Amino acid sequence: MMKTLLVRGMLAGLIAGVLAFGFAYAFGEPSVNAAIGLESGDGHAHSHSHDASAPAPAAEEEELVPRDIQSTLGLLTGVLVYGVAIGGLLSLAFAFAQGRLGALRPRVTALLLTAGAFAVVFLVPFLKYPANPPAVGQPGTIGSRTELYFGFVAVSLLVGIFATVFGRKLADRVGAWNGFLLAAAGYLVVIGVVAWLMPAVDEVPATFPASTLWSFRTASVGTQVTLWLALGLAFGAFAEKALNRRATVAA
């Protein structure tokens, strides 16, 4: 059954990745193209972007990967790999959680796990360190900004796991709903303190169009919502069908 769930989780992640790619291409790429246009059209703006190892502005060097490949095949590959990996991890978490969260249907358990993971892995870190398009960010701080972001994701995930275990134990004493509320409150308090202690990052140039930044960030959130929602719905349906079939055979 573990192998069955893992395969179905990865398949659900593949489906979710295709849908997320469609959203990202339709709504995210226009703002990326606008930011790249600002970057290539202004040498000063270019100094704020991309890799510190780049020896010259984009206008003065040939791209290693053409932009049309980056926005299609490159984007599709990245989103699919991400979706399949998240789907596999979700299936492992589901195998552990099923039956331990009360008498819930498999698809409800899958949706609850997906919603929690979305908040802990993406939404909360995004609120602290939101995504930025090209032409935003100093080249020399790429490494430190990446470390801060993934460090915060790791802390958020660990605190989320501890809060879940804590809430499950509280549920036996104060009820499932009260246990959930106390666990959620504990997570928010701890992660709020961590976010306050971690350094802020604000490298958006004063001349960068606010509308382009807003469009890029809302598209980033929309892409993640599409991926996680599709993943939860697809895996929930797959898992429930597999578990029902197993129960029928066992009977």
Side-chain angles (χ1 to χ4, degrees), residues 36 62-75:
I36 290 175
E62 185 178 348
E63 288 183 316
L64 294 177
V65 180
R67 174 63 191 144
D68 57 345
I69 299 298
Q70 295 177 20
S71 62
T72 52
L73 183 60
L75 177 61

Side-chain angles (χ1 to χ4, degrees), residues 23-184:
F23 186 97
Y25 184 80
F27 297 99
E29 283 303 308
S31 58
V32 173
N33 289 332
I36 290 175
L38 291 169
E39 181 184 35
S40 60
D42 185 346
H44 176 71
H46 181 83
S47 67
H48 290 276
S49 69
H50 290 181
D51 194 337
S53 62
E60 299 177 9
E61 63 180 15
E62 185 178 348
E63 288 183 316
L64 294 177
V65 180
R67 174 63 191 144
D68 57 345
I69 299 298
Q70 295 177 20
S71 62
T72 52
L73 183 60
L75 177 61
L76 176 63
T77 301
V79 175
L80 289 183
V81 170
Y82 179 74
V84 170
I86 293 297
L89 293 175
L90 175 64
S91 68
L92 297 178
F94 175 86
F96 175 79
Q98 179 61 20
R100 292 182 171 88
L101 300 179
L104 300 175
R105 292 178 58 182
R107 66 177 64 212
V108 176
T109 300
L111 283 173
L112 289 176
L113 285 174
T114 306
F118 167 78
V120 169
V121 175
F122 170 74
L123 185 59
V124 171
F126 182 90
L127 294 176
K128 174 63 178 178
Y129 298 116
N132 287 323
V136 173
Q138 297 288 347
T141 63
I142 290 177
S144 61
R145 284 186 280 123
T146 302
E147 291 173 358
L148 284 172
Y149 176 77
F150 283 107
F152 192 72
V153 170
V155 172
S156 178
L157 182 59
L158 288 175
V159 175
I161 292 173
F162 281 119
T164 301
V165 173
F166 179 65
R168 184 66 186 85
K169 292 182 178 180
L170 283 176
D172 297 331
R173 300 181 180 180
V174 299
W177 179 246
N178 290 330
F180 166 76
L181 291 179
L182 290 173

Side-chain angles (χ1 to χ4, degrees), residues 160-220:
I161 292 173
F162 281 119
T164 301
V165 173
F166 179 65
R168 184 66 186 85
K169 292 182 178 180
L170 283 176
D172 297 331
R173 300 181 180 180
V174 299
W177 179 246
N178 290 330
F180 166 76
L181 291 179
L182 290 173
Y187 168 81
L188 292 175
V189 169
V190 173
I191 205 64
V193 172
V194 173
W196 178 68
L197 291 174
M198 292 187 71
V201 176
D202 184 9
E203 298 184 354
V204 179
T207 57
F208 193 86
S211 59
T212 300
L213 183 63
W214 173 255
S215 297
F216 178 84
R217 289 179 174 174
T218 53
S220 297

